[in-house]
């Protein structure tokens, strides 16, 4: 199938390693990454986890205690509130263990399908398809889907991609979207899957 072949080409050409697998750290880092560049998210996560290593430690922190640590990721007041709320719930409701089901993860404040699916794949090795703006845009450009929202894209992609590609396609499409198939001015001349792309704006 062509879609499977192209998905494998994207994964091969734009690999993304997930070094950190600890569910709590992956969850909190994904919250930090909202509207933040990767390099800034990394700095904020490192600052935070150097000082607070577990949900138990973070659940006792005050929001203002972590402002400076996570400031590099932006929206630090809002994110500090979320992170401490999530930590408290994980300690109080789940005995300090991040749940490994989509349903439970979605109950955490500020955790949407994208974040939950990243945790499920990266930390629990479950087949889970996280759709962010890169995955949504590229899937539409390629002609794999014709959708209006990331959520719609997630469900369509689950129908057309084999389960073993659900997890890896996210990170690889993010890399591909940052380096080649950018939101504005995609670099189609160097695109390794250009011949499979159905986008009318292809350059
Ligand atoms: Fe993106 Fe251009 Fe490649 Fe199509 S040809 S996938 S628009 S970079």
């Amino acid at each position: 199938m062509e879609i499977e072949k192209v998905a494998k080409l994207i994964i091969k050409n734009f690999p993304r390693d997930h070094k950190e697998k600890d569910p709590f750290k992956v969850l909190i880092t994904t919250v930090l990454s909202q509207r933040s560049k990767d390099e800034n998210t990394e700095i904020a996560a490192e600052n935070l986890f150097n000082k607070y290593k577990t949900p138990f430690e973070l659940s006792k922190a005050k929001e203002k205690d972590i402002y400076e640590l996570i400031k590099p990721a932006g929206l630090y007041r809002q994110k500090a509130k979320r992170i401490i709320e999530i930590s408290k719930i994980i300690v109080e409701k789940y005995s300090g263990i991040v749940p490994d089901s989509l349903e439970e993860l979605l109950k955490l404040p500020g955790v949407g399908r994208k974040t939950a699916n990243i945790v499920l794949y990266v930390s629990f090795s479950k087949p889970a398809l996280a759709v962010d703006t890169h995955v949504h845009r590229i899937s539409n450009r390629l002609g794999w889907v014709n959708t209006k929202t990331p959520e719609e894209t997630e469900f369509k992609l689950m129908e057309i991609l084999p389960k073993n590609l659900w997890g890896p396609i996210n990170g690889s499409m993010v890399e591909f979207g940052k380096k080649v198939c950018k939101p504005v001015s995609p670099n189609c001349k160097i695109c390794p899957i250009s011949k499979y792309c159905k986008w009318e704006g292809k350059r």
Side-chain angles (χ1 to χ4, degrees), residues 138 141-142 176 180-181 186-188 191 193-194 197 199 202:
I138 296 166
R141 279 180 178 171
L142 286 169
F176 178 46
V180 180
C181 193
N187 206 342
C188 303
C191 175
I193 55 164
S194 160
C197 178
W199 190 42
K202 191 162 84 168

